[in-house]
PDB file of all heavy atoms in Angstrom:
ATOM      1  N   THR A 829      31.140  15.702 -69.054  1.00 98.00           N
ATOM      2  CA  THR A 829      32.150  16.503 -69.741  1.00 98.00           C
ATOM      3  C   THR A 829      33.550  16.005 -69.416  1.00 98.00           C
ATOM      4  O   THR A 829      33.923  15.870 -68.247  1.00 98.00           O
ATOM      5  CB  THR A 829      32.025  17.983 -69.343  1.00 98.00           C
ATOM      6  OG1 THR A 829      30.768  18.486 -69.805  1.00 98.00           O
ATOM      7  CG2 THR A 829      33.151  18.807 -69.929  1.00 98.00           C
ATOM      8  N   ALA A 830      34.314  15.681 -70.460  1.00 98.00           N
ATOM      9  CA  ALA A 830      35.656  15.128 -70.284  1.00 98.00           C
ATOM     10  C   ALA A 830      36.283  14.900 -71.654  1.00 98.00           C
ATOM     11  O   ALA A 830      35.606  15.003 -72.679  1.00 98.00           O
ATOM     12  CB  ALA A 830      35.607  13.804 -69.528  1.00 98.00           C
ATOM     13  N   VAL A 831      37.557  14.582 -71.635  1.00 98.00           N
ATOM     14  CA  VAL A 831      38.205  14.034 -72.822  1.00 98.00           C
ATOM     15  C   VAL A 831      38.003  12.522 -72.782  1.00 98.00           C
ATOM     16  O   VAL A 831      38.285  11.888 -71.766  1.00 98.00           O
ATOM     17  CB  VAL A 831      39.700  14.381 -72.870  1.00 98.00           C
ATOM     18  CG1 VAL A 831      40.358  13.736 -74.087  1.00 98.00           C
ATOM     19  CG2 VAL A 831      39.892  15.888 -72.886  1.00 98.00           C
ATOM     20  N   TYR A 832      37.502  11.986 -73.874  1.00 98.00           N
ATOM     21  CA  TYR A 832      37.213  10.558 -73.960  1.00 98.00           C
ATOM     22  C   TYR A 832      38.293   9.864 -74.787  1.00 98.00           C
ATOM     23  O   TYR A 832      38.642  10.330 -75.881  1.00 98.00           O
ATOM     24  CB  TYR A 832      35.841  10.328 -74.582  1.00 98.00           C
ATOM     25  CG  TYR A 832      34.716  10.578 -73.612  1.00 98.00           C
ATOM     26  CD1 TYR A 832      34.412  11.875 -73.195  1.00 98.00           C
ATOM     27  CD2 TYR A 832      33.968   9.533 -73.073  1.00 98.00           C
ATOM     28  CE1 TYR A 832      33.399  12.121 -72.282  1.00 98.00           C
ATOM     29  CE2 TYR A 832      32.946   9.761 -72.166  1.00 98.00           C
ATOM     30  CZ  TYR A 832      32.670  11.052 -71.771  1.00 98.00           C
ATOM     31  OH  TYR A 832      31.659  11.291 -70.863  1.00 98.00           O
ATOM     32  N   TYR A 833      38.788   8.755 -74.241  1.00 98.00           N
ATOM     33  CA  TYR A 833      39.848   7.992 -74.880  1.00 98.00           C
ATOM     34  C   TYR A 833      39.386   6.563 -75.141  1.00 98.00           C
ATOM     35  O   TYR A 833      38.707   5.971 -74.301  1.00 98.00           O
ATOM     36  CB  TYR A 833      41.064   7.910 -73.966  1.00 98.00           C
ATOM     37  CG  TYR A 833      41.682   9.230 -73.591  1.00 98.00           C
ATOM     38  CD1 TYR A 833      41.252   9.936 -72.477  1.00 98.00           C
ATOM     39  CD2 TYR A 833      42.722   9.771 -74.348  1.00 98.00           C
ATOM     40  CE1 TYR A 833      41.829  11.147 -72.127  1.00 98.00           C
ATOM     41  CE2 TYR A 833      43.302  10.981 -73.999  1.00 98.00           C
ATOM     42  CZ  TYR A 833      42.844  11.662 -72.893  1.00 98.00           C
ATOM     43  OH  TYR A 833      43.417  12.857 -72.547  1.00 98.00           O
ATOM     44  N   CYS A 834      39.792   6.021 -76.273  1.00 98.00           N
ATOM     45  CA  CYS A 834      39.619   4.588 -76.460  1.00 98.00           C
ATOM     46  C   CYS A 834      40.957   3.894 -76.227  1.00 98.00           C
ATOM     47  O   CYS A 834      42.024   4.515 -76.350  1.00 98.00           O
ATOM     48  CB  CYS A 834      39.046   4.250 -77.825  1.00 98.00           C
ATOM     49  SG  CYS A 834      40.146   4.534 -79.217  1.00 98.00           S
ATOM     50  N   ALA A 835      40.882   2.627 -75.882  1.00 98.00           N
ATOM     51  CA  ALA A 835      42.073   1.850 -75.557  1.00 98.00           C
ATOM     52  C   ALA A 835      41.898   0.424 -76.030  1.00 98.00           C
ATOM     53  O   ALA A 835      40.771  -0.067 -76.162  1.00 98.00           O
ATOM     54  CB  ALA A 835      42.317   1.894 -74.048  1.00 98.00           C
ATOM     55  N   ALA A 836      43.025  -0.234 -76.257  1.00 97.00           N
ATOM     56  CA  ALA A 836      43.025  -1.602 -76.775  1.00 97.00           C
ATOM     57  C   ALA A 836      43.978  -2.482 -75.994  1.00 97.00           C
ATOM     58  O   ALA A 836      45.058  -2.030 -75.572  1.00 97.00           O
ATOM     59  CB  ALA A 836      43.423  -1.596 -78.256  1.00 97.00           C
ATOM     60  N   ARG A 837      43.558  -3.727 -75.824  1.00 96.00           N
ATOM     61  CA  ARG A 837      44.432  -4.712 -75.201  1.00 96.00           C
ATOM     62  C   ARG A 837      44.268  -6.026 -75.950  1.00 96.00           C
ATOM     63  O   ARG A 837      43.133  -6.518 -76.107  1.00 96.00           O
ATOM     64  CB  ARG A 837      44.108  -4.927 -73.731  1.00 96.00           C
ATOM     65  CG  ARG A 837      44.960  -6.037 -73.090  1.00 96.00           C
ATOM     66  CD  ARG A 837      44.535  -6.342 -71.680  1.00 96.00           C
ATOM     67  NE  ARG A 837      45.177  -7.542 -71.181  1.00 96.00           N
ATOM     68  CZ  ARG A 837      46.313  -7.553 -70.500  1.00 96.00           C
ATOM     69  NH1 ARG A 837      46.944  -6.421 -70.241  1.00 96.00           N
ATOM     70  NH2 ARG A 837      46.824  -8.692 -70.078  1.00 96.00           N
ATOM     71  N   GLU A 838      45.380  -6.588 -76.381  1.00 94.00           N
ATOM     72  CA  GLU A 838      45.333  -7.866 -77.071  1.00 94.00           C
ATOM     73  C   GLU A 838      45.004  -8.953 -76.052  1.00 94.00           C
ATOM     74  O   GLU A 838      45.591  -8.990 -74.970  1.00 94.00           O
ATOM     75  CB  GLU A 838      46.657  -8.164 -77.765  1.00 94.00           C
ATOM     76  CG  GLU A 838      46.600  -9.383 -78.648  1.00 94.00           C
ATOM     77  CD  GLU A 838      47.850  -9.529 -79.509  1.00 94.00           C
ATOM     78  OE1 GLU A 838      48.689  -8.603 -79.503  1.00 94.00           O
ATOM     79  OE2 GLU A 838      47.983 -10.565 -80.171  1.00 94.00           O
ATOM     80  N   MET A 839      44.045  -9.822 -76.405  1.00 91.00           N
ATOM     81  CA  MET A 839      43.617 -10.856 -75.474  1.00 91.00           C
ATOM     82  C   MET A 839      43.433 -12.184 -76.187  1.00 91.00           C
ATOM     83  O   MET A 839      43.045 -12.225 -77.345  1.00 91.00           O
ATOM     84  CB  MET A 839      42.286 -10.456 -74.820  1.00 91.00           C
ATOM     85  CG  MET A 839      42.393  -9.315 -73.836  1.00 91.00           C
ATOM     86  SD  MET A 839      40.850  -9.038 -72.954  1.00 91.00           S
ATOM     87  CE  MET A 839      40.750 -10.538 -71.971  1.00 91.00           C
ATOM     88  N   ASN A 840      43.685 -13.264 -75.451  1.00 91.00           N
ATOM     89  CA  ASN A 840      43.403 -14.590 -75.982  1.00 91.00           C
ATOM     90  C   ASN A 840      41.911 -14.894 -75.909  1.00 91.00           C
ATOM     91  O   ASN A 840      41.352 -15.502 -76.822  1.00 91.00           O
ATOM     92  CB  ASN A 840      44.181 -15.644 -75.211  1.00 91.00           C
ATOM     93  CG  ASN A 840      45.677 -15.544 -75.472  1.00 91.00           C
ATOM     94  OD1 ASN A 840      46.098 -15.179 -76.565  1.00 91.00           O
ATOM     95  ND2 ASN A 840      46.471 -15.858 -74.463  1.00 91.00           N
ATOM     96  N   SER A 841      41.276 -14.454 -74.821  1.00 88.00           N
ATOM     97  CA  SER A 841      39.854 -14.741 -74.625  1.00 88.00           C
ATOM     98  C   SER A 841      38.999 -13.926 -75.588  1.00 88.00           C
ATOM     99  O   SER A 841      39.133 -12.722 -75.685  1.00 88.00           O
ATOM    100  CB  SER A 841      39.457 -14.419 -73.183  1.00 88.00           C
ATOM    101  OG  SER A 841      38.048 -14.466 -73.045  1.00 88.00           O
ATOM    102  N   VAL A 842      38.085 -14.597 -76.259  1.00 87.00           N
ATOM    103  CA  VAL A 842      37.195 -13.917 -77.200  1.00 87.00           C
ATOM    104  C   VAL A 842      36.098 -13.146 -76.478  1.00 87.00           C
ATOM    105  O   VAL A 842      35.628 -12.110 -76.947  1.00 87.00           O
ATOM    106  CB  VAL A 842      36.565 -14.938 -78.168  1.00 87.00           C
ATOM    107  CG1 VAL A 842      35.517 -14.290 -79.053  1.00 87.00           C
ATOM    108  CG2 VAL A 842      37.632 -15.599 -79.016  1.00 87.00           C
ATOM    109  N   ASN A 843      35.731 -13.620 -75.293  1.00 88.00           N
ATOM    110  CA  ASN A 843      34.597 -13.023 -74.588  1.00 88.00           C
ATOM    111  C   ASN A 843      34.985 -12.241 -73.337  1.00 88.00           C
ATOM    112  O   ASN A 843      34.108 -11.774 -72.616  1.00 88.00           O
ATOM    113  CB  ASN A 843      33.598 -14.116 -74.210  1.00 88.00           C
ATOM    114  CG  ASN A 843      32.940 -14.718 -75.441  1.00 88.00           C
ATOM    115  OD1 ASN A 843      32.503 -14.003 -76.335  1.00 88.00           O
ATOM    116  ND2 ASN A 843      32.887 -16.045 -75.488  1.00 88.00           N
ATOM    117  N   GLY A 844      36.257 -12.089 -73.084  1.00 88.00           N
ATOM    118  CA  GLY A 844      36.685 -11.330 -71.921  1.00 88.00           C
ATOM    119  C   GLY A 844      36.779  -9.846 -72.215  1.00 88.00           C
ATOM    120  O   GLY A 844      36.871  -9.433 -73.368  1.00 88.00           O
ATOM    121  N   TYR A 845      36.763  -9.033 -71.163  1.00 90.00           N
ATOM    122  CA  TYR A 845      36.950  -7.596 -71.311  1.00 90.00           C
ATOM    123  C   TYR A 845      37.835  -7.107 -70.176  1.00 90.00           C
ATOM    124  O   TYR A 845      38.098  -7.829 -69.213  1.00 90.00           O
ATOM    125  CB  TYR A 845      35.614  -6.841 -71.325  1.00 90.00           C
ATOM    126  CG  TYR A 845      34.663  -7.211 -70.207  1.00 90.00           C
ATOM    127  CD1 TYR A 845      34.852  -6.750 -68.912  1.00 90.00           C
ATOM    128  CD2 TYR A 845      33.576  -8.036 -70.464  1.00 90.00           C
ATOM    129  CE1 TYR A 845      33.989  -7.098 -67.894  1.00 90.00           C
ATOM    130  CE2 TYR A 845      32.708  -8.387 -69.455  1.00 90.00           C
ATOM    131  CZ  TYR A 845      32.909  -7.921 -68.174  1.00 90.00           C
ATOM    132  OH  TYR A 845      32.051  -8.271 -67.171  1.00 90.00           O
ATOM    133  N   VAL A 846      38.281  -5.883 -70.308  1.00 89.00           N
ATOM    134  CA  VAL A 846      39.271  -5.334 -69.384  1.00 89.00           C
ATOM    135  C   VAL A 846      38.741  -4.017 -68.836  1.00 89.00           C
ATOM    136  O   VAL A 846      38.268  -3.176 -69.600  1.00 89.00           O
ATOM    137  CB  VAL A 846      40.616  -5.116 -70.096  1.00 89.00           C
ATOM    138  CG1 VAL A 846      41.660  -4.577 -69.132  1.00 89.00           C
ATOM    139  CG2 VAL A 846      41.102  -6.418 -70.728  1.00 89.00           C
ATOM    140  N   VAL A 847      38.862  -3.836 -67.521  1.00 90.00           N
ATOM    141  CA  VAL A 847      38.316  -2.639 -66.887  1.00 90.00           C
ATOM    142  C   VAL A 847      39.419  -1.651 -66.475  1.00 90.00           C
ATOM    143  O   VAL A 847      39.299  -0.463 -66.709  1.00 90.00           O
ATOM    144  CB  VAL A 847      37.462  -3.029 -65.666  1.00 90.00           C
ATOM    145  CG1 VAL A 847      37.001  -1.782 -64.916  1.00 90.00           C
ATOM    146  CG2 VAL A 847      36.263  -3.863 -66.094  1.00 90.00           C
ATOM    147  N   GLY A 848      40.474  -2.121 -65.882  1.00 88.00           N
ATOM    148  CA  GLY A 848      41.508  -1.246 -65.350  1.00 88.00           C
ATOM    149  C   GLY A 848      42.311  -0.566 -66.436  1.00 88.00           C
ATOM    150  O   GLY A 848      42.769  -1.210 -67.377  1.00 88.00           O
ATOM    151  N   PRO A 849      42.512   0.767 -66.342  1.00 86.00           N
ATOM    152  CA  PRO A 849      43.270   1.470 -67.378  1.00 86.00           C
ATOM    153  C   PRO A 849      44.700   0.967 -67.502  1.00 86.00           C
ATOM    154  O   PRO A 849      45.265   0.994 -68.610  1.00 86.00           O
ATOM    155  CB  PRO A 849      43.216   2.931 -66.929  1.00 86.00           C
ATOM    156  CG  PRO A 849      42.892   2.889 -65.476  1.00 86.00           C
ATOM    157  CD  PRO A 849      42.043   1.667 -65.289  1.00 86.00           C
ATOM    158  N   GLY A 850      45.278   0.514 -66.415  1.00 86.00           N
ATOM    159  CA  GLY A 850      46.651   0.038 -66.457  1.00 86.00           C
ATOM    160  C   GLY A 850      46.848  -1.245 -67.241  1.00 86.00           C
ATOM    161  O   GLY A 850      47.981  -1.610 -67.562  1.00 86.00           O
ATOM    162  N   ARG A 851      45.757  -1.891 -67.576  1.00 92.00           N
ATOM    163  CA  ARG A 851      45.838  -3.153 -68.285  1.00 92.00           C
ATOM    164  C   ARG A 851      45.711  -2.980 -69.793  1.00 92.00           C
ATOM    165  O   ARG A 851      45.773  -3.946 -70.529  1.00 92.00           O
ATOM    166  CB  ARG A 851      44.768  -4.099 -67.765  1.00 92.00           C
ATOM    167  CG  ARG A 851      44.933  -4.441 -66.282  1.00 92.00           C
ATOM    168  CD  ARG A 851      43.888  -5.422 -65.819  1.00 92.00           C
ATOM    169  NE  ARG A 851      44.006  -6.696 -66.508  1.00 92.00           N
ATOM    170  CZ  ARG A 851      43.061  -7.630 -66.491  1.00 92.00           C
ATOM    171  NH1 ARG A 851      41.943  -7.425 -65.808  1.00 92.00           N
ATOM    172  NH2 ARG A 851      43.231  -8.771 -67.135  1.00 92.00           N
ATOM    173  N   TYR A 852      45.515  -1.769 -70.244  1.00 95.00           N
ATOM    174  CA  TYR A 852      45.439  -1.525 -71.676  1.00 95.00           C
ATOM    175  C   TYR A 852      46.811  -1.149 -72.219  1.00 95.00           C
ATOM    176  O   TYR A 852      47.591  -0.468 -71.542  1.00 95.00           O
ATOM    177  CB  TYR A 852      44.421  -0.422 -71.980  1.00 95.00           C
ATOM    178  CG  TYR A 852      42.998  -0.920 -71.940  1.00 95.00           C
ATOM    179  CD1 TYR A 852      42.275  -0.915 -70.756  1.00 95.00           C
ATOM    180  CD2 TYR A 852      42.397  -1.412 -73.087  1.00 95.00           C
ATOM    181  CE1 TYR A 852      40.974  -1.392 -70.717  1.00 95.00           C
ATOM    182  CE2 TYR A 852      41.088  -1.877 -73.061  1.00 95.00           C
ATOM    183  CZ  TYR A 852      40.383  -1.865 -71.874  1.00 95.00           C
ATOM    184  OH  TYR A 852      39.094  -2.331 -71.843  1.00 95.00           O
ATOM    185  N   ASP A 853      47.061  -1.568 -73.437  1.00 94.00           N
ATOM    186  CA  ASP A 853      48.380  -1.387 -74.029  1.00 94.00           C
ATOM    187  C   ASP A 853      48.453  -0.207 -74.983  1.00 94.00           C
ATOM    188  O   ASP A 853      49.525   0.382 -75.164  1.00 94.00           O
ATOM    189  CB  ASP A 853      48.779  -2.651 -74.801  1.00 94.00           C
ATOM    190  CG  ASP A 853      48.798  -3.875 -73.908  1.00 94.00           C
ATOM    191  OD1 ASP A 853      49.407  -3.791 -72.813  1.00 94.00           O
ATOM    192  OD2 ASP A 853      48.213  -4.900 -74.292  1.00 94.00           O
ATOM    193  N   TYR A 854      47.344   0.125 -75.621  1.00 96.00           N
ATOM    194  CA  TYR A 854      47.341   1.167 -76.646  1.00 96.00           C
ATOM    195  C   TYR A 854      46.201   2.138 -76.377  1.00 96.00           C
ATOM    196  O   TYR A 854      45.104   1.735 -75.975  1.00 96.00           O
ATOM    197  CB  TYR A 854      47.192   0.544 -78.042  1.00 96.00           C
ATOM    198  CG  TYR A 854      48.240  -0.486 -78.342  1.00 96.00           C
ATOM    199  CD1 TYR A 854      47.976  -1.836 -78.219  1.00 96.00           C
ATOM    200  CD2 TYR A 854      49.535  -0.093 -78.714  1.00 96.00           C
ATOM    201  CE1 TYR A 854      48.949  -2.783 -78.469  1.00 96.00           C
ATOM    202  CE2 TYR A 854      50.508  -1.030 -78.970  1.00 96.00           C
ATOM    203  CZ  TYR A 854      50.208  -2.378 -78.846  1.00 96.00           C
ATOM    204  OH  TYR A 854      51.184  -3.304 -79.090  1.00 96.00           O
ATOM    205  N   TRP A 855      46.500   3.407 -76.662  1.00 98.00           N
ATOM    206  CA  TRP A 855      45.547   4.478 -76.397  1.00 98.00           C
ATOM    207  C   TRP A 855      45.457   5.424 -77.585  1.00 98.00           C
ATOM    208  O   TRP A 855      46.457   5.661 -78.283  1.00 98.00           O
ATOM    209  CB  TRP A 855      45.985   5.279 -75.168  1.00 98.00           C
ATOM    210  CG  TRP A 855      45.918   4.503 -73.893  1.00 98.00           C
ATOM    211  CD1 TRP A 855      46.868   3.636 -73.413  1.00 98.00           C
ATOM    212  CD2 TRP A 855      44.859   4.496 -72.953  1.00 98.00           C
ATOM    213  NE1 TRP A 855      46.447   3.089 -72.228  1.00 98.00           N
ATOM    214  CE2 TRP A 855      45.215   3.608 -71.913  1.00 98.00           C
ATOM    215  CE3 TRP A 855      43.631   5.157 -72.871  1.00 98.00           C
ATOM    216  CZ2 TRP A 855      44.393   3.368 -70.824  1.00 98.00           C
ATOM    217  CZ3 TRP A 855      42.817   4.916 -71.794  1.00 98.00           C
ATOM    218  CH2 TRP A 855      43.193   4.042 -70.778  1.00 98.00           C
ATOM    219  N   GLY A 856      44.274   5.981 -77.761  1.00 98.00           N
ATOM    220  CA  GLY A 856      44.114   7.053 -78.742  1.00 98.00           C
ATOM    221  C   GLY A 856      44.470   8.395 -78.133  1.00 98.00           C
ATOM    222  O   GLY A 856      44.841   8.478 -76.957  1.00 98.00           O
ATOM    223  N   GLN A 857      44.319   9.449 -78.924  1.00 97.00           N
ATOM    224  CA  GLN A 857      44.720  10.777 -78.481  1.00 97.00           C
ATOM    225  C   GLN A 857      43.611  11.492 -77.725  1.00 97.00           C
ATOM    226  O   GLN A 857      43.850  12.514 -77.089  1.00 97.00           O
ATOM    227  CB  GLN A 857      45.165  11.640 -79.677  1.00 97.00           C
ATOM    228  CG  GLN A 857      44.037  12.308 -80.458  1.00 97.00           C
ATOM    229  CD  GLN A 857      43.166  11.344 -81.246  1.00 97.00           C
ATOM    230  OE1 GLN A 857      43.518  10.176 -81.434  1.00 97.00           O
ATOM    231  NE2 GLN A 857      42.031  11.826 -81.738  1.00 97.00           N
ATOM    232  N   GLY A 858      42.398  10.985 -77.818  1.00 98.00           N
ATOM    233  CA  GLY A 858      41.274  11.544 -77.090  1.00 98.00           C
ATOM    234  C   GLY A 858      40.426  12.494 -77.928  1.00 98.00           C
ATOM    235  O   GLY A 858      40.902  13.089 -78.900  1.00 98.00           O
ATOM    236  N   THR A 859      39.167  12.609 -77.537  1.00 98.00           N
ATOM    237  CA  THR A 859      38.244  13.548 -78.173  1.00 98.00           C
ATOM    238  C   THR A 859      37.429  14.233 -77.075  1.00 98.00           C
ATOM    239  O   THR A 859      36.971  13.578 -76.137  1.00 98.00           O
ATOM    240  CB  THR A 859      37.341  12.837 -79.198  1.00 98.00           C
ATOM    241  OG1 THR A 859      36.539  13.797 -79.881  1.00 98.00           O
ATOM    242  CG2 THR A 859      36.428  11.809 -78.548  1.00 98.00           C
ATOM    243  N   GLN A 860      37.284  15.547 -77.191  1.00 98.00           N
ATOM    244  CA  GLN A 860      36.628  16.323 -76.147  1.00 98.00           C
ATOM    245  C   GLN A 860      35.109  16.229 -76.265  1.00 98.00           C
ATOM    246  O   GLN A 860      34.550  16.425 -77.355  1.00 98.00           O
ATOM    247  CB  GLN A 860      37.050  17.795 -76.245  1.00 98.00           C
ATOM    248  CG  GLN A 860      36.374  18.726 -75.255  1.00 98.00           C
ATOM    249  CD  GLN A 860      36.809  18.497 -73.831  1.00 98.00           C
ATOM    250  OE1 GLN A 860      37.999  18.409 -73.537  1.00 98.00           O
ATOM    251  NE2 GLN A 860      35.848  18.414 -72.914  1.00 98.00           N
ATOM    252  N   VAL A 861      34.471  15.963 -75.142  1.00 98.00           N
ATOM    253  CA  VAL A 861      33.011  16.003 -75.046  1.00 98.00           C
ATOM    254  C   VAL A 861      32.655  17.044 -73.992  1.00 98.00           C
ATOM    255  O   VAL A 861      33.127  16.967 -72.856  1.00 98.00           O
ATOM    256  CB  VAL A 861      32.438  14.634 -74.656  1.00 98.00           C
ATOM    257  CG1 VAL A 861      30.945  14.746 -74.347  1.00 98.00           C
ATOM    258  CG2 VAL A 861      32.682  13.622 -75.768  1.00 98.00           C
TER     259      VAL A 861
END
């Protein structure tokens, strides 16, 4: 149970991913679960 948010970060690497919240640039408003 929480508010769930999606986030986006522009990256050069096609196969890389990002874990830390501080490294994301854009966020949605959230949806309650």
Side-chain angles (χ1 to χ4, degrees):
T829 295
V831 177
Y832 283 71
Y833 300 89
C834 70
R837 176 186 170 93
E838 188 170 353
M839 289 187 67
N840 291 327
S841 170
V842 173
N843 293 314
Y845 49 76
V846 181
V847 174
R851 298 182 63 194
Y852 281 89
D853 301 311
Y854 304 100
W855 293 83
Q857 82 291 347
T859 185
Q860 177 69 48
V861 171

